[in-house]
């Protein structure tokens, strides 16, 4: 059997972040340029680190690898073994500064006009407990309470609710599972999952000293589509891929286009994930034809070759049993003449046929699907067959 199977165990994300200031809000899974006051305070930079998706088996990050390297009398944060940069680390971050018996200070961190800012105001010299998610997308509504629902005890955890989240996204949706302050962008002591405490200190535009280190964990599952063109067909035609769409099915039911997510977090000693439970509540309408998760930056599309090109989507995992991938592409002959425009090919993949011992999709797991563009008839290439290829799941 030629199917490639990649299942990735839960992966812990590390975000090294410096606190900043201003606001943001909009309408879909796109890059955000917030309309914010120009006088907002500024922070130096943001760097995001993530454990890479493994290609074999199921791998969980080893927390012994998150090391602090002594330098003199301080311990300096360095990129630990097994971690790499979070994909597009300049995505907006929804954040809440919380204190026991106080209303949360809600806002976000975002990159605008070449600087990091935050909309969170009136940060005092005090201990806060930081909760949040990445990426903060337009139209997502973010709310938070403590675990008892009365804002009395954020020290021991919180309930984070995200509403109107797209069921398919081009970005890796994650929730904060740990936070700690640093004395500069490279120095932090005590950062671990299950500890959300952050000691804020006085700061200014000239001396931004509230360096925030955040840990994240995945909320969605990931699907990587790898596409190439059959060698014989590539010698005759050029395929320019223009977009990819994904729809998901739970049994025979098509998923809705949005979902509400509730995450119950409990502070702990770092020996286990603070995520106690996650519930997904489907909202909106049924996904009609798929949700676009990748589009070419040019109207002509991206030319495919006989080597695999990879494209990744993230999707709500609850009860999902089937994925439907729709490819939109143009067909050219080798002289550059457009033969067929905006062709569509939809492949439906039952995960039970792709993944051994499949029971259900899980958050933090990654599934890889290999597809090949081939003519509809392999042995006798008539002109209609040649110009109307299909995507074949290997």
């Amino acid at each position: 059997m030629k199917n490639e199977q990649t299942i990735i165990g839960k992966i812990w994300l590390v975000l090294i972040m410096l606190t900043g200031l201003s606001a943001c809000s909009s309408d879909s899974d796109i890059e955000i340029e917030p309309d914010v006051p120009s006088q907002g305070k500024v922070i130096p930079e943001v760097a995001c680190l993530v454990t890479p998706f493994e290609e074999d088996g199921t791998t969980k990050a080893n927390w012994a690898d998150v090391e602090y390297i002594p330098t003199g009398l301080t311990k300096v944060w360095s990129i630990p073994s097994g971690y790499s940069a979070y994909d597009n680390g300049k995505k907006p971050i929804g954040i809440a500064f919380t204190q026991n018996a106080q209303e949360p200070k809600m806002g976000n961190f975002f990159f605008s006009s070449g600087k990091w800012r935050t909309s969170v105001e009136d940060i005092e010299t005090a201990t806060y407990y930081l909760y949040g998610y990445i990426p903060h997308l337009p139209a997502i509504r973010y709310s938070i309470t403590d675990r008892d629902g009365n804002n009395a005890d954020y020290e021991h955890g919180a309930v984070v609710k995200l509403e109107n989240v797209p069921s398919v996204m081009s970005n890796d949706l994650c929730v904060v599972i740990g936070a700690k302050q640093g004395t500069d962008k490279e120095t932090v002591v005590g950062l671990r999952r299950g500890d959300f405490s952050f000691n804020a200190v006085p700061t200014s535009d000239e001396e931004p000293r509230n360096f925030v280190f955040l840990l994240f964990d995945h909320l969605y599952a990931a699907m990587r589509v790898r596409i190439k063109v059959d060698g014989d067909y590539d010698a005759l035609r050029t395929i320019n891929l223009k977009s990819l769409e994904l729809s998901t099915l739970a049994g025979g039911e098509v998923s809705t286009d949005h979902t509400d997510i509730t995450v119950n977090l409990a502070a702990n000693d770092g020996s286990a994930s603070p995520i106690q439970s996650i519930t997904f509540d489907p909202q909106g309408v049924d996904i009609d034809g798929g949700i676009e998760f990748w589009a070419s930056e040019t109207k002509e599309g991206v030319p495919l070759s006989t080597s695999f090109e990879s494209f990744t989507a993230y999707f709500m995992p609850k009860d999902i049993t089937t994925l439907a991938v729709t490819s939109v592409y143009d067909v050219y002959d080798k002289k550059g003449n457009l033969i067929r425009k905006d062709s569509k090919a939809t492949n439906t993949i039952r995960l039970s046929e792709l993944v051994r011992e499949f029971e259900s999709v899980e958050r933090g797991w990654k599934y890889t699907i290999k597809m090949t563009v081939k003519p509809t008839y392999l042995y006798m290439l008539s002109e209609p067959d040649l110009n109307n290829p299909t995507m074949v799941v290997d």
Side-chain angles (χ1 to χ4, degrees):
M1 189 172 183
K2 296 182 180 179
N3 290 354
E4 175 177 297
Q5 163 189 318
T6 303
I7 310 174
I8 304 305
K10 296 175 182 176
I11 296 173
W12 311 112
L13 308 180
V14 185
L15 167 73
I16 303 179
M17 158 143 197
L18 320 171
T19 329
L21 301 110
S22 262
C24 106
S25 159
S26 240
D27 209 342
S28 64
D29 181 14
I30 58 175
E31 196 74 28
I32 303 171
E33 183 66 24
D35 181 14
V36 298
S38 59
Q39 66 271 23
K41 290 186 179 179
V42 175
I43 56 175
E45 65 180 276
V46 174
C48 306
L49 306 180
V50 55
T51 50
F53 287 115
E54 300 292 340
E55 294 302 324
D56 297 309
T58 300
T59 303
K60 192 171 184 177
N62 180 0
W63 282 89
D65 289 341
V66 183
E67 301 174 348
Y68 303 105
I69 302 174
T71 301
L73 298 178
T74 65
K75 290 186 175 181
V76 177
W77 170 265
S78 65
I79 297 178
S81 174
Y83 287 83
S84 58
Y86 177 85
D87 186 27
N88 197 339
K90 292 181 179 178
K91 291 295 182 183
I93 302 164
I95 201 73
F97 283 68
T98 70
Q99 293 176 296
N100 293 338
Q102 300 288 330
E103 289 289 329
K105 298 178 185 292
M106 306 288 294
N108 49 75
F109 303 119
F110 62 91
F111 195 76
S112 178
S113 301
K115 297 179 181 179
W116 280 97
R117 308 171 186 273
T118 181
S119 61
V120 182
E121 299 178 349
D122 302 323
I123 301 301
E124 302 170 349
T125 302
T127 297
Y128 292 91
Y129 304 96
L130 302 191
Y131 299 96
Y133 74 102
I134 189 173
H136 173 67
L137 297 179
I140 291 182
R141 297 185 293 274
Y142 171 41
S143 61
I144 186 171
T145 65
D146 70 348
R147 301 186 75 203
D148 294 326
N150 55 19
N151 292 329
D153 184 15
Y154 285 104
E155 180 179 357
H156 293 100
V159 175
V160 171
K161 187 166 186 179
L162 306 178
E163 298 179 284
N164 200 43
V165 182
S167 296
V168 174
M169 298 170 57
S170 59
N171 295 291
D172 192 5
L173 182 68
C174 303
V175 66
V176 172
I177 60 167
K180 188 61 61 178
Q181 77 284 353
T183 57
D184 58 42
K185 67 180 181 180
E186 295 181 343
T187 307
V188 62
V189 177
L191 175 66
R192 63 170 176 80
R193 59 181 178 172
D195 183 356
F196 299 88
S197 61
F198 168 73
N199 296 323
V201 296
T203 189
S204 66
D205 288 352
E206 293 73 27
E207 191 177 10
R209 293 185 291 156
N210 284 326
F211 297 91
V212 183
F213 290 69
L214 300 175
L215 303 179
F216 287 87
D217 191 7
H218 300 287
L219 293 177
Y220 273 14
M223 177 200 68
R224 184 178 67 168
V225 180
R226 303 187 68 204
I227 304 177
K228 70 174 183 178
V229 182
D230 173 75
D232 292 337
Y233 187 65
D234 183 65
L236 302 170
R237 292 289 186 262
T238 296
I239 302 295
N240 281 7
L241 185 66
K242 301 176 79 172
S243 69
L244 290 168
E245 299 174 351
L246 174 67
S247 59
T248 55
L249 292 84
E253 298 295 323
V254 177
S255 304
T256 57
D257 59 354
H258 287 79
T259 188
D260 293 347
I261 306 170
T262 302
V263 186
N264 190 323
L265 297 161
N268 59 32
D269 61 3
S271 59
S273 171
I275 297 176
Q276 299 299 292
S277 65
I278 300 177
T279 58
F280 298 95
D281 184 14
Q283 302 290 328
V285 299
D286 291 349
I287 297 175
D288 183 15
I291 296 177
E292 185 177 84
F293 65 89
W294 176 85
S296 171
E297 295 181 357
T298 66
K299 64 180 181 180
E300 293 81 12
V302 173
L304 299 177
S305 69
T306 55
S307 299
F308 281 112
E309 293 282 348
S310 295
F311 307 89
T312 302
Y314 305 89
F315 62 96
M316 189 278 293
K318 180 184 178 183
D319 300 328
I320 299 304
T321 59
T322 304
L323 304 175
V325 182
T326 299
S327 312
V328 180
Y329 55 91
D330 292 341
V331 181
Y332 292 81
D333 65 20
K334 287 303 180 181
K335 295 181 179 179
N337 299 310
L338 179 61
I339 302 298
R340 190 174 182 89
K341 184 178 178 60
D342 293 334
S343 297
K344 280 193 174 184
T346 297
N347 292 86
T348 300
I349 301 103
R350 292 179 178 85
L351 290 170
S352 60
E353 298 173 359
L354 178 71
V355 181
R356 298 186 188 94
E357 301 178 1
F358 175 81
E359 294 183 2
S360 63
V361 172
E362 294 189 30
R363 68 178 185 88
W365 290 44
K366 183 178 183 181
Y367 305 87
T368 295
I369 299 165
K370 293 172 63 178
M371 301 172 68
T372 302
V373 182
K374 291 184 177 181
T376 54
Y377 188 69
L378 295 178
Y379 302 104
M380 185 181 297
L381 296 178
S382 68
E383 277 303 303
D385 294 330
L386 194 62
N387 298 332
N388 188 24
T390 58
M391 295 282 186
V392 179
V393 178
D394 294 343

